[in-house]
Amino acid sequence: MSIFENILDILEKKGPLSIPSLLDEMNRMSRFQNTNGKPIELSHVKSVISRKRELFNIKNNIVTIDPDKDPVLLSVSLGGYPGPWYKVEVDFINDRFVYFEWHLSSFSQRNELPKVSGSIEDFKKELYRLKIWKWQPEYNQQGIILDGITWSVKLITKGNIFESNGIQSFPNDWEKFCKALSKLTGKYIC
Protein backbone atom coordinates (compact mmCIF):
# COMPACT_ATOMS: atom_id res chain seq x y z
CA MET A 1 0.00 0.00 0.00
CA SER A 2 1.37 3.42 -0.95
CA ILE A 3 1.91 6.29 1.48
CA PHE A 4 -1.00 8.10 -0.20
CA GLU A 5 -3.34 5.15 0.40
CA ASN A 6 -2.13 4.83 4.01
CA ILE A 7 -2.89 8.52 4.62
CA LEU A 8 -6.39 8.09 3.18
CA ASP A 9 -7.03 4.96 5.28
CA ILE A 10 -5.87 6.61 8.50
CA LEU A 11 -7.86 9.80 7.93
CA GLU A 12 -10.95 7.73 7.08
CA LYS A 13 -10.65 5.72 10.30
CA LYS A 14 -9.25 8.27 12.75
CA GLY A 15 -10.53 11.58 11.38
CA PRO A 16 -8.46 14.79 11.33
CA LEU A 17 -4.89 14.37 12.62
CA SER A 18 -1.76 16.42 12.96
CA ILE A 19 1.04 15.54 10.55
CA PRO A 20 3.23 14.07 13.36
CA SER A 21 0.27 11.95 14.60
CA LEU A 22 -0.36 10.82 11.05
CA LEU A 23 3.29 9.83 10.72
CA ASP A 24 3.20 7.91 14.03
CA GLU A 25 0.07 6.08 12.94
CA MET A 26 1.61 5.22 9.56
CA ASN A 27 4.77 3.86 11.17
CA ARG A 28 2.68 1.84 13.61
CA MET A 29 0.74 0.36 10.66
CA SER A 30 3.92 -0.25 8.64
CA ARG A 31 5.64 -2.08 11.49
CA PHE A 32 2.48 -4.05 12.17
CA GLN A 33 2.23 -4.97 8.48
CA ASN A 34 6.02 -5.47 8.41
CA THR A 35 6.41 -3.94 4.94
CA ASN A 36 10.13 -3.12 4.72
CA GLY A 37 11.15 -2.56 8.32
CA LYS A 38 12.20 1.07 7.79
CA PRO A 39 10.10 3.80 9.39
CA ILE A 40 8.40 6.30 7.10
CA GLU A 41 9.98 9.73 7.36
CA LEU A 42 8.14 12.98 8.02
CA SER A 43 9.42 14.42 4.73
CA HIS A 44 7.72 11.59 2.80
CA VAL A 45 4.36 12.30 4.42
CA LYS A 46 4.67 16.05 3.87
CA SER A 47 5.69 15.44 0.25
CA VAL A 48 2.63 13.29 -0.49
CA ILE A 49 0.29 15.75 1.20
CA SER A 50 1.76 18.69 -0.72
CA ARG A 51 1.57 16.82 -4.06
CA LYS A 52 -2.08 15.94 -3.40
CA ARG A 53 -2.93 19.30 -1.83
CA GLU A 54 -6.22 19.58 -3.77
CA LEU A 55 -7.45 16.50 -1.88
CA PHE A 56 -6.31 17.49 1.61
CA ASN A 57 -7.03 20.48 3.84
CA ILE A 58 -4.33 21.58 6.27
CA LYS A 59 -5.18 24.06 9.00
CA ASN A 60 -3.05 24.59 12.11
CA ASN A 61 -0.98 21.53 11.09
CA ILE A 62 -4.14 19.34 11.15
CA VAL A 63 -4.77 17.27 8.00
CA THR A 64 -8.28 16.40 6.79
CA ILE A 65 -9.76 15.17 3.54
CA ASP A 66 -11.35 18.10 1.70
CA PRO A 67 -15.14 17.73 2.21
CA ASP A 68 -15.68 18.70 -1.44
CA LYS A 69 -13.71 15.59 -2.45
CA ASP A 70 -14.87 13.12 0.24
CA PRO A 71 -17.51 10.86 -1.42
CA VAL A 72 -20.81 10.06 0.22
CA LEU A 73 -22.78 8.63 -2.73
CA LEU A 74 -22.01 7.88 -6.37
CA SER A 75 -24.73 7.21 -8.92
CA VAL A 76 -23.84 5.96 -12.41
CA SER A 77 -26.22 5.24 -15.27
CA LEU A 78 -25.14 4.16 -18.74
CA GLY A 79 -26.23 2.23 -21.75
CA GLY A 80 -27.32 2.40 -25.33
CA TYR A 81 -29.74 0.84 -27.73
CA PRO A 82 -30.35 -2.12 -27.82
CA GLY A 83 -28.87 -2.40 -24.35
CA PRO A 84 -27.88 -3.41 -21.85
CA TRP A 85 -28.41 -0.48 -19.51
CA TYR A 86 -26.67 -0.29 -16.16
CA LYS A 87 -27.31 1.64 -12.97
CA VAL A 88 -24.85 1.50 -10.08
CA GLU A 89 -25.25 3.35 -6.80
CA VAL A 90 -22.40 3.27 -4.30
CA ASP A 91 -23.15 4.33 -0.73
CA PHE A 92 -19.77 5.09 0.86
CA ILE A 93 -21.23 5.86 4.28
CA ASN A 94 -22.95 2.48 4.68
CA ASP A 95 -20.26 0.63 2.69
CA ARG A 96 -22.59 -0.96 0.12
CA PHE A 97 -23.59 -0.70 -3.50
CA VAL A 98 -26.60 -1.57 -5.64
CA TYR A 99 -26.25 -2.80 -9.21
CA PHE A 100 -29.10 -2.93 -11.77
CA GLU A 101 -28.89 -4.24 -15.31
CA TRP A 102 -31.70 -4.32 -17.83
CA HIS A 103 -31.96 -5.32 -21.47
CA LEU A 104 -34.09 -3.76 -24.17
CA SER A 105 -33.53 -6.47 -26.75
CA SER A 106 -34.12 -10.20 -26.71
CA PHE A 107 -30.79 -10.61 -28.55
CA SER A 108 -28.58 -9.35 -25.74
CA GLN A 109 -26.92 -11.84 -23.40
CA ARG A 110 -28.66 -12.11 -20.07
CA ASN A 111 -27.30 -15.25 -18.50
CA GLU A 112 -23.99 -13.88 -17.24
CA LEU A 113 -24.12 -13.39 -13.48
CA PRO A 114 -21.75 -10.99 -11.69
CA LYS A 115 -18.49 -12.47 -10.46
CA VAL A 116 -17.16 -11.73 -6.98
CA SER A 117 -17.60 -8.07 -6.11
CA GLY A 118 -14.71 -5.83 -5.18
CA SER A 119 -13.99 -3.56 -2.26
CA ILE A 120 -15.76 -0.23 -1.83
CA GLU A 121 -12.63 1.07 -0.05
CA ASP A 122 -10.48 0.27 -3.11
CA PHE A 123 -13.08 1.83 -5.40
CA LYS A 124 -13.09 4.99 -3.29
CA LYS A 125 -9.29 5.26 -3.54
CA GLU A 126 -9.58 4.95 -7.32
CA LEU A 127 -12.16 7.76 -7.36
CA TYR A 128 -9.66 9.99 -5.56
CA ARG A 129 -7.12 9.22 -8.29
CA LEU A 130 -9.62 9.84 -11.12
CA LYS A 131 -10.69 13.24 -9.76
CA ILE A 132 -14.29 13.04 -10.97
CA TRP A 133 -14.89 16.48 -9.47
CA LYS A 134 -12.82 17.87 -12.37
CA TRP A 135 -14.97 16.28 -15.08
CA GLN A 136 -16.89 18.65 -17.34
CA PRO A 137 -20.68 18.82 -16.87
CA GLU A 138 -21.30 17.61 -20.46
CA TYR A 139 -19.46 15.51 -23.03
CA ASN A 140 -21.17 15.47 -26.42
CA GLN A 141 -20.05 14.81 -29.97
CA GLN A 142 -21.09 17.10 -32.77
CA GLY A 143 -23.78 15.86 -35.13
CA ILE A 144 -26.54 13.28 -34.88
CA ILE A 145 -25.83 10.13 -32.88
CA LEU A 146 -28.27 7.25 -33.29
CA ASP A 147 -26.78 4.28 -31.42
CA GLY A 148 -24.31 5.85 -29.00
CA ILE A 149 -23.66 5.22 -25.33
CA THR A 150 -25.51 7.59 -23.04
CA TRP A 151 -24.13 8.01 -19.54
CA SER A 152 -24.46 10.11 -16.41
CA VAL A 153 -22.42 10.25 -13.21
CA LYS A 154 -23.48 12.03 -10.03
CA LEU A 155 -21.01 12.27 -7.15
CA ILE A 156 -22.29 13.58 -3.85
CA THR A 157 -19.51 14.51 -1.44
CA LYS A 158 -19.65 15.86 2.11
CA GLY A 159 -19.40 19.40 0.72
CA ASN A 160 -20.62 19.42 -2.89
CA ILE A 161 -22.43 17.67 -5.75
CA PHE A 162 -20.70 16.97 -9.07
CA GLU A 163 -22.66 15.85 -12.13
CA SER A 164 -21.42 14.82 -15.57
CA ASN A 165 -23.11 13.24 -18.55
CA GLY A 166 -22.50 12.52 -22.17
CA ILE A 167 -23.52 10.85 -25.40
CA GLN A 168 -20.79 8.83 -27.12
CA SER A 169 -18.14 11.18 -25.69
CA PHE A 170 -16.24 10.56 -22.46
CA PRO A 171 -13.75 12.10 -20.00
CA ASN A 172 -10.08 11.16 -20.42
CA ASP A 173 -10.11 8.66 -17.52
CA TRP A 174 -13.32 6.95 -18.63
CA GLU A 175 -11.65 3.57 -19.26
CA LYS A 176 -10.07 3.58 -15.78
CA PHE A 177 -13.44 4.55 -14.31
CA CYS A 178 -15.13 1.67 -16.15
CA LYS A 179 -12.48 -0.81 -14.96
CA ALA A 180 -12.96 0.36 -11.38
CA LEU A 181 -16.77 -0.02 -11.70
CA SER A 182 -16.38 -3.46 -13.26
CA LYS A 183 -14.01 -4.55 -10.50
CA LEU A 184 -16.42 -3.27 -7.83
CA THR A 185 -19.53 -4.90 -9.28
CA GLY A 186 -17.90 -8.09 -10.57
CA LYS A 187 -19.55 -7.48 -13.94
CA TYR A 188 -18.13 -5.96 -17.14
CA ILE A 189 -19.98 -2.68 -17.51
CA CYS A 190 -18.34 -0.54 -20.18
Side-chain angles (χ1 to χ4, degrees), residues 142-182:
Q142 297 294 328
I144 298 172
I145 299 169
L146 299 176
D147 291 335
I149 303 287
T150 302
W151 61 273
S152 67
V153 174
K154 181 177 184 180
L155 175 65
I156 300 173
T157 65
K158 291 180 179 176
N160 212 334
I161 297 173
F162 302 93
E163 295 184 74
S164 255
N165 63 65
I167 301 172
Q168 202 55 39
S169 185
F170 309 96
N172 289 337
D173 288 331
W174 183 255
E175 286 184 29
K176 290 179 184 176
F177 179 71
C178 286
K179 284 180 185 176
L181 266 179
S182 295

Side-chain angles (χ1 to χ4, degrees), residues 19 49-50 56-64:
I19 293 175
I49 290 171
S50 69
F56 298 111
N57 285 338
I58 302 172
K59 187 174 182 181
N60 299 328
N61 208 26
I62 302 292
V63 180
T64 61

Side-chain angles (χ1 to χ4, degrees), residues 45-58:
V45 175
K46 285 182 176 181
S47 174
V48 169
I49 290 171
S50 69
R51 278 194 321 256
K52 304 286 188 180
R53 87 183 76 204
E54 77 173 277
L55 184 58
F56 298 111
N57 285 338
I58 302 172

Side-chain angles (χ1 to χ4, degrees), residues 81-108:
Y81 183 80
W85 281 82
Y86 302 99
K87 175 116 176 139
V88 180
E89 291 210 356
V90 184
D91 180 347
F92 295 100
I93 301 298
N94 295 308
D95 199 35
R96 64 179 175 214
F97 71 90
V98 177
Y99 164 86
F100 292 101
E101 176 181 337
W102 59 100
H103 298 263
L104 303 173
S105 169
S106 59
F107 299 109
S108 57

Side-chain angles (χ1 to χ4, degrees), residues 24-35:
D24 290 343
E25 196 64 37
M26 289 180 72
N27 281 323
R28 204 171 299 127
M29 285 177 59
S30 293
R31 273 188 247 122
F32 182 72
Q33 294 172 357
N34 202 11
T35 54

Side-chain angles (χ1 to χ4, degrees), residues 97 113-119 180-188:
F97 71 90
L113 294 174
K115 297 174 183 159
V116 177
S117 62
S119 159
L181 266 179
S182 295
K183 187 174 179 182
L184 174 68
T185 62
K187 178 86 174 181
Y188 175 78

